[in-house]
Amino acid sequence: MIRHTSVLHKDLSGLGVTISPADNVPLHQIFDEETQSYIPDHSLIPLILVPELQYEGADVSAEYEERGWWRINASGAEEQITASTAGHTLYPTGYPLGLKITANLPSSQSWKYVFRVKAKGVRGSDTVTLRTNMAASAVPSVELDCPSALNWDPFATDHDTLVITPVVHRRGKTCTVRWRKIDNGVKRTIVYTDYEDLELSLPAYTPPSGSSQLTTYNSQPIAINRRWMGDSVSLVCELLVGSTIMDEKYVTINRRVPPHRDEILANTFFGGSDTIHHAKIQVFKEPGGLISDPSQELKIDWYDCDSSSPVFVGSGNTHDYPLSSSAAKKNIGVEVSDRGPWCCLKDSSGNYITDSSGAVLLAR
C-alpha cells in the first residue's frame, strides 16, 4: 500500500530578453553646442534596437506570440510606440522585433525604451536607456578688424572714414552686437541722429560669401568719420546673449599730426630794385616727405622780425613781405602750430548752430 504521495512539477525556465544596438551604433548621443549638431545624428545614422529571446538556452526570437515597444519619457509617462510615432519605425526590414529610431533625443534628457514579448507561453521584457549629453561650447567672443588703439594722420585725406567690422564667434549661441560710446570714462548709448555723435553711423552689412556658422549675421559694423571726431573717439563693441554681455572689445582713435620739420623757402638775397620778398613754408613729415598743402591742418603765421618785438603780418602757406629800398636786410619769421580738429559750433546756451537748411556748422 502506498502510504505517502507527492506531486512533481516540471521546472519552467524563464524567458530571457536582451536588447542591443545594431551596427555598433552607440546608445547615447552627444549634442555639440557650438555646431548645434548631434553625434551621431540619428536622422543620418539611425539607431536600431534589436531584442533577442532565449528560452532554455535556445534562441526563440522567431517564435514570439506577442510583442510591443513602449517609451518612458523624462516625466515618467509611458506611451506605446505605434506606426504613427514620429521618428520611430516598428520592426524594420531584417529586424522583426526591432525598433528603428531616427529622432534625436533633446540634449540633457534621457528616455527609456521597454520591449515586452510573449514566447513559448512565457512573458518577458527588457529595458534600455538612451541619453544625450551636452558638449558645452566655449563662451561666445567678438574680435574687431582693427587694433584697440590707433592714430589717425589728418593729412591722409583719402582715409577719412574708417569702418570697423566685428567678427563674432557665437559658439552655438544667438548673439547680438551693440556699439556704445565712451565719454569721460563712462559708456553711453550712441544716438546716431544726434550731433554729439555726428562722426558715427551704421552702414549696411552683407555677410561674406561662405560665412561659417561661427559668424553671426547681425555682426553690425560701425563707420567713423575721423574728420569730425574731434581729438579722439572711444568706442566699445559689446557682444550679448540675450541681455547678458558675454564679451566686449574697446577701440580708441586719436587725431595725431605726425612729427614734422618746417623750413622757410625764400631767397637769402634781394636786389636794390626789389619791392616784394616772397616766402613759402615747406613742411616735411618725418617720415613721409613734403606736405603739399600744410595749411590744411597747420596754422602758419608769418611775422616781421625787424623790430625787437615780432609783428604778425599774415597766415597761409606763403607770404609776400614788402621791401624798403633803404633797408640792407629783412628779418622774417614763421610759427607753425596745429589748427586742431573740426567741431560743431554751439551758442552761449550750448545749443548747436545750424544753417538755414538745418545742417550743423563746423569750425576749428
Side-chain angles (χ1 to χ4, degrees), residues 26-341:
L27 292 176
H28 305 316
Q29 291 178 280
I30 296 174
F31 180 73
D32 190 325
E33 186 180 29
E34 181 169 333
T35 62
Q36 296 287 289
S37 61
Y38 288 88
I39 305 173
D41 185 341
H42 285 166
S43 65
L44 303 175
I45 305 175
L47 171 65
I48 300 178
L49 300 178
V50 183
E52 182 180 345
L53 311 184
Q54 291 284 332
Y55 182 79
E56 293 186 346
D59 186 345
V60 294
S61 299
E63 302 178 40
Y64 61 86
E65 300 164 25
E66 299 175 10
R67 59 179 178 168
W69 282 94
W70 282 259
R71 180 176 65 185
I72 303 173
N73 60 27
S75 65
E78 182 178 291
E79 59 175 334
Q80 185 170 5
I81 296 173
T82 67
S84 61
T85 304
H88 296 75
T89 302
L90 285 168
Y91 322 125
T93 302
Y95 302 97
L97 300 180
L99 175 66
K100 180 179 179 180
I101 302 174
T102 56
N104 291 311
L105 178 64
S107 60
S108 302
Q109 291 192 23
S110 64
W111 284 344
K112 289 184 178 180
Y113 286 88
V114 181
F115 178 70
R116 297 186 176 107
V117 65
K118 180 180 179 183
K120 294 292 187 178
V122 181
R123 297 185 182 278
S125 67
D126 193 20
T127 302
V128 64
T129 301
L130 308 186
R131 291 189 182 87
T132 295
N133 300 315
M134 173 75 77
S137 65
V139 175
S141 62
V142 63
E143 299 173 6
L144 302 180
D145 60 352
C146 76
S148 59
L150 63 159
N151 294 323
W152 172 65
D153 177 0
F155 286 107
T157 57
D158 56 338
H159 299 292
D160 282 1
T161 299
L162 172 68
V163 177
I164 302 174
T165 302
V167 177
V168 176
H169 302 285
R170 60 188 181 90
R171 313 296 185 188
K173 302 291 196 305
T174 300
C175 303
T176 56
V177 166
R178 180 175 68 190
W179 287 96
R180 303 186 77 187
K181 194 173 185 179
I182 303 173
D183 285 337
N184 299 318
V186 178
K187 294 190 291 186
R188 67 166 175 83
T189 300
I190 298 172
V191 182
Y192 296 96
T193 56
D194 194 307
Y195 293 134
E196 285 289 340
D197 300 323
L198 179 68
E199 75 277 21
L200 303 175
S201 61
L202 295 177
Y205 175 62
T206 301
S209 176
S211 293
S212 73
Q213 59 186 322
L214 294 181
T215 304
T216 183
Y217 291 132
N218 57 353
S219 184
Q220 177 63 60
I222 193 168
I224 304 103
N225 188 321
R226 293 177 285 191
R227 190 67 60 184
W228 300 345
M229 72 178 184
D231 283 316
S232 66
V233 64
S234 293
L235 305 169
V236 58
C237 178
E238 297 175 337
L239 181 66
L240 297 95
V241 174
S243 59
T244 302
I245 299 175
M246 306 301 295
D247 192 16
E248 55 187 10
K249 291 294 186 295
Y250 293 81
V251 60
T252 297
I253 306 170
N254 297 300
R255 176 186 177 275
R256 180 175 177 271
V257 173
H260 52 84
R261 173 171 52 88
D262 313 322
E263 295 179 357
I264 297 176
L265 182 63
N267 290 329
T268 56
F269 298 96
F270 59 90
S273 61
D274 292 336
T275 58
I276 295 294
H277 191 74
H278 182 74
K280 179 180 179 180
I281 191 71
Q282 284 191 321
V283 180
F284 298 87
K285 290 197 291 186
E286 296 183 335
L290 179 66
I291 299 172
S292 60
D293 181 11
S295 64
Q296 172 191 347
E297 296 297 329
L298 300 176
K299 187 173 183 291
I300 303 169
D301 292 337
W302 296 93
Y303 292 87
D304 187 328
C305 301
D306 285 333
S307 63
S308 58
S309 298
V311 178
F312 171 74
V313 292
S315 297
N317 290 326
T318 63
H319 186 70
D320 291 332
Y321 286 89
L323 296 174
S324 172
S325 58
S326 62
K329 64 178 181 178
K330 184 67 180 177
N331 295 313
I332 64 175
V334 69
E335 184 177 68
V336 179
S337 59
D338 183 8
R339 294 179 64 187

